Amino acid sequence: MNTIEQPKPRIIVIDDNPAIHDDFHKILVSEGDGQELLDAASAFFGDETPPPTASDKLDVQLDSAYQGEEGYRKVRDATAAGRPYTLAFCDMRMPPGWDGLTTIENLWKVDPNLQVVICSAYSDNTWGDISKRLGLSDRLLILKKPFDNAEVLQIVVALIEKRRLIDAASIKREALERTVTERTKHLREARQESEQLLESIDSLMVGTDAAGIIQRWNDNAVAILGIPADQAIGQPLYSLPIQWESADVVDQLADSLHRETPTHLETSFSDVDGTLRIVSFSSYPVLEAGFRRGTLILGSDITEHRLLEQQLHNAQKLESVGQLAAGVAHEINTPMQYLGDNLEYLNSKFDKLIGYLESSTQLLEVADQSAVSPTLVAELREKAKRLSLKSLCTQIPQALTDSIDGVEHVSRIVRAMKELSHPGAEETSAVDINRALETTMAVSTNEWKYVAQIETDLADNLEPVIGYPGELNQVFLNLIINAAHAISDNTAGGSVGLGKLTIRSSQHDGFVKVEIGDDGGGIPEAIRSRVFDPFFTTKEVGKGTGQGLAIAHTVVVQRHGGKLSFDVDEGVGTTFVIELPTRGPAIAKESAIRDSLAAAVGL
C-alpha cells in the first residue's frame, strides 16, 4: 500500500540575536547528541512507545527571521503558499522593530493556528501582561533563556504533533462540513421532491398534529370542501363549517385522529351551492419512534363514481328485465288466455240466462193471476234444460274465481316487475326480505319452473332490514336466475328431470340470513376466486354480461355492510349465503370498522 509523503514541519525562529539561531540549528537540525533527542521523544510519547534509534533526528525545515516584521512577512507568504509554519520561536525584545507581543498579534492574524513559543531572558512582561494582550490561548508557551536542549526538543515534538492534530481535525471538520452541506442539499432536494409529490396527489389531503389541529390543507381539499387553506390551517378538523349529512360524521372524524390504525369513512355533505356530494376518507396515523405525531387524511369526491355505479345498477336491472321479458310475457299471457275464455263463456251463457229469466218473470206474472199455462211451464222447463241450469250454478262461480285469480296473478307479476325495474331510492327504508324474495320468485317464474322445483322456507316474523329495497331485489333476482341457469345446464333444460332450487330466510342476532341454493353441480374450483369479478362469466354470449354477481357483492358488502359468500358441495350444487345487518348500512359499516380494529389490536 503506497503512502503519501507528508511535507516537513516548518519552524521559524524570530530573534535579533544570530547566536540564538545557531543554537536552534544545532539542537533541531545538526547532528549532535542523539540521546537528547531520544530522551525528548521518550518523555513526550511515554515509555511504552518503542524508542527511536540513536541516528534518528527531527526531520524539520528551520527558517530564520531577525525582526518581527520580517517574521510576519515569511509567515504570511508561507500561509498564502499553502505551506504554513507549524511553530514559531519568538523573542520579546527585537529593537528597533516590533516587540514580541506585537509580532505575535500580527502572526496570528495571518495564521490563527500557528503555535508560538516566547523566548526571553527578561521579565519585562508578566504573564498577566501577556495574557491581557494575547488572551489565554493554548497556542502560546513561554521558554525562558537560557533553555535546556531537551526541553526545546520536547516542546518541538509536542507542538508539531499538536499542529498535526489540529490540521487533521481541520481537514475532518471541512470534510464533515462538506458532507453536512451535501446531505443538507440532498435533504432539501428530497423535501422539495416530497412537497412536489404531495402537491401532485389528485386527492384531498389534510394533515393534522397530535392534537387534531390542521397543519396541511392542499388545493384539492379547497376544491372539494370549499374552505380556503388560510381558514383551515390552525383550526381543529371537527370545527370546520362543513354541512355533513349527520353530526355523527364529525364524531367519527374526531375519533379517527386518535386511532393507531388506518380507518375508512364514506359520507356526504352539502357544498356551498347546496349540491349533495359524496366523499370517501382514509385516515392514517403518523408515527415516529412509536409515538403519534399526527394524522394524514386522504380523500376523494366519489359523487360521480357513485352516480355511474347507480347507472350501472340500473342498466343491469334493465338487462335482467330484458332477459325476463319473454318469460314474463308468457306468464301474463297464460292467465289472460283463460281469463278471456272465461269471459267468452260467461257472455254466451248470459244470453241464454236472460231468456230463462224473462220466461220466469212471465210465469210469475201468470201465477199471480192464478192462470198458469201448461204451455208456459213446458217452455220454461225446456229453456232450463238447454241452459243446464244446475251445472251453470257451479260453472259461473268457478269461472269468476279463475278470472279473479288470473287478474291477481297478472297484477302480482306487474307489481313485481315495477319493483324490480324501479331505479331505487337514495334513502334507506325498512325492507321486508320475505316479500322481496317472493317478488323476485314471481318475476323469474318462467326462468325456473320448467327446470326446477322450488322449495321455500321463509322464517315468520322476520325483522325488517334497513336498506335499499330496489338493490336488494336485484341481488335476489340475480342469484335466483343464476341458480336456475345452473340447474338448466345440469338437467339439459329440464329434459332429464327437474332440479331443486331452495330459498330460505332466517333471523339471527343483529342480521337476517338468506340462502339461495341449487343442485346444478357446483362452481368449478378453478373459477371460484373470480365469481365476484366484474365482467367475469362462463355463460354463452347474449346470456350474461358477468355483472350480476359483481353488483350483488357491491350491494351487499359495500352498500349494506353485509356479507356475501357461497358454499360449494362438489358435484352437487352451490348455496349463496347473504347476511344483512338489520341496523342499516351506515351503522353496519361503523361496526365492521370497529370490529376489524379490535381484531387488529387483539381485543
Coordinates of all heavy atoms in Angstrom, one line a residue, residues 2 52 57 65 75 103 198 205 224 230 239 272 304-305 350 352 389 411 424 458 461 520 534 543 581:
N2 N 0.7 2.1 -1.0 CA 1.5 3.3 -1.1 C 1.1 4.3 -0.1 O -0.1 4.5 0.2 CB 1.4 3.9 -2.5 CG 1.9 3.0 -3.6 OD1 2.9 2.2 -3.3 ND2 1.3 3.0 -4.8
P52 N 13.2 5.5 19.4 CA 13.8 5.6 18.1 C 15.3 5.3 18.2 O 15.9 5.2 19.3 CB 13.7 7.1 17.7 CG 13.5 7.8 19.0 CD 12.8 6.8 19.9
K57 N 16.8 11.8 13.8 CA 16.8 13.3 14.0 C 15.5 13.8 13.7 O 14.6 13.2 13.1 CB 17.9 13.9 13.1 CG 19.3 13.5 13.3 CD 20.2 14.2 12.4 CE 19.9 13.9 10.9 NZ 20.9 14.6 10.0
A65 N 14.3 34.6 11.0 CA 13.9 36.0 10.8 C 14.5 36.8 11.9 O 14.4 36.4 13.1 CB 12.4 36.1 10.7
V75 N 5.8 34.4 7.5 CA 4.6 33.6 7.9 C 3.5 33.8 7.0 O 2.7 32.9 6.5 CB 4.2 33.9 9.4 CG1 2.9 33.3 9.7 CG2 5.3 33.4 10.3
T103 N 4.6 41.3 17.4 CA 4.8 40.4 16.4 C 3.8 39.2 16.4 O 3.3 38.8 15.4 CB 6.3 39.8 16.5 OG1 7.2 40.9 16.4 CG2 6.6 38.8 15.4
L198 N -46.4 15.5 -3.0 CA -47.6 15.7 -2.3 C -48.6 16.6 -3.0 O -49.8 16.4 -3.0 CB -47.3 16.2 -0.9 CG -46.6 15.2 0.1 CD1 -46.2 16.0 1.4 CD2 -47.4 14.0 0.4
M205 N -56.1 16.1 0.6 CA -55.1 15.7 1.6 C -55.1 16.7 2.8 O -55.0 17.9 2.6 CB -53.7 15.7 1.0 CG -52.6 15.2 2.0 SD -51.0 15.0 1.2 CE -50.7 16.6 0.7
I224 N -62.7 20.5 -3.0 CA -63.8 19.6 -2.7 C -64.6 20.2 -1.5 O -65.8 20.1 -1.6 CB -63.2 18.2 -2.3 CG1 -62.5 17.6 -3.5 CG2 -64.2 17.3 -1.7 CD1 -61.8 16.3 -3.3
D230 N -56.0 29.1 4.2 CA -55.7 30.0 5.4 C -56.8 30.0 6.4 O -56.6 30.4 7.6 CB -55.5 31.4 4.9 CG -56.6 32.0 4.1 OD1 -57.6 31.2 3.8 OD2 -56.6 33.2 3.8
S239 N -64.0 21.4 13.8 CA -64.7 22.7 14.0 C -65.0 23.4 12.6 O -65.6 24.5 12.6 CB -63.9 23.6 14.8 OG -62.7 24.0 14.2
V272 N -71.3 24.6 -1.0 CA -71.8 26.0 -0.9 C -73.0 26.2 -1.8 O -73.8 27.1 -1.6 CB -70.7 27.0 -1.2 CG1 -69.6 26.9 -0.1 CG2 -70.0 26.7 -2.5
E304 N -69.5 11.4 -8.6 CA -69.7 10.9 -10.0 C -69.5 9.4 -10.0 O -70.3 8.7 -10.8 CB -68.6 11.6 -10.9 CG -68.8 11.2 -12.4 CD -67.9 12.0 -13.3 OE1 -67.2 12.9 -12.8 OE2 -67.8 11.7 -14.5
H305 N -68.6 8.9 -9.2 CA -68.4 7.4 -9.2 C -69.7 6.7 -8.7 O -70.1 5.7 -9.3 CB -67.2 7.1 -8.3 CG -67.0 5.6 -8.1 ND1 -66.5 4.8 -9.1 CD2 -67.3 4.8 -7.1 CE1 -66.4 3.5 -8.6 NE2 -66.9 3.5 -7.4
F350 N -124.7 -16.0 -20.6 CA -125.6 -14.9 -20.1 C -126.7 -14.6 -21.0 O -127.9 -14.3 -20.6 CB -124.7 -13.6 -19.9 CG -125.4 -12.5 -19.3 CD1 -125.7 -12.5 -17.9 CD2 -125.9 -11.4 -20.0 CE1 -126.4 -11.5 -17.3 CE2 -126.6 -10.4 -19.4 CZ -126.8 -10.4 -18.0
K352 N -128.4 -16.9 -22.9 CA -129.4 -17.9 -22.6 C -130.1 -17.6 -21.2 O -131.3 -17.9 -21.0 CB -128.8 -19.3 -22.6 CG -128.2 -19.6 -24.0 CD -127.6 -21.0 -23.9 CE -127.0 -21.4 -25.3 NZ -126.4 -22.7 -25.3
L389 N -129.1 -25.5 -16.1 CA -129.2 -24.5 -15.0 C -128.4 -25.0 -13.8 O -127.7 -24.3 -13.1 CB -130.6 -24.3 -14.6 CG -130.9 -23.1 -13.7 CD1 -130.3 -21.8 -14.2 CD2 -132.4 -23.0 -13.4
S411 N -101.5 -9.1 -11.9 CA -101.2 -7.9 -11.1 C -99.9 -8.1 -10.3 O -99.1 -7.2 -10.1 CB -102.4 -7.6 -10.1 OG -103.5 -7.3 -10.9
G424 N -84.9 2.9 -7.7 CA -84.5 2.7 -6.3 C -84.2 4.1 -5.7 O -83.7 5.0 -6.3
L458 N -89.3 -19.7 4.5 CA -89.1 -18.3 4.9 C -89.6 -18.2 6.4 O -90.7 -18.5 6.7 CB -89.9 -17.4 4.0 CG -89.7 -17.6 2.5 CD1 -90.5 -16.6 1.7 CD2 -88.2 -17.4 2.2
N461 N -92.2 -13.7 11.1 CA -91.8 -12.5 11.9 C -90.4 -12.1 11.7 O -89.6 -11.8 12.7 CB -92.1 -12.9 13.4 CG -93.5 -13.2 13.7 OD1 -94.4 -12.6 13.1 ND2 -93.7 -14.2 14.5
G520 N -77.2 -27.6 -9.1 CA -76.7 -27.6 -10.5 C -75.3 -28.1 -10.7 O -74.6 -27.7 -11.7
P534 N -65.9 -8.2 -11.8 CA -66.8 -7.6 -12.8 C -66.5 -8.2 -14.2 O -65.3 -8.5 -14.5 CB -66.4 -6.2 -12.8 CG -65.8 -6.0 -11.4 CD -65.1 -7.3 -11.0
K543 N -76.2 -14.3 -23.0 CA -77.0 -14.9 -21.8 C -76.5 -14.2 -20.6 O -77.2 -14.3 -19.5 CB -76.8 -16.4 -21.8 CG -77.8 -17.1 -20.9 CD -77.7 -18.6 -21.0 CE -78.9 -19.2 -20.2 NZ -78.8 -20.7 -20.3
P581 N -77.2 -6.9 7.9 CA -77.4 -6.3 9.2 C -78.7 -5.5 9.2 O -79.1 -4.8 8.3 CB -76.2 -5.4 9.4 CG -75.8 -5.1 8.0 CD -76.0 -6.3 7.2

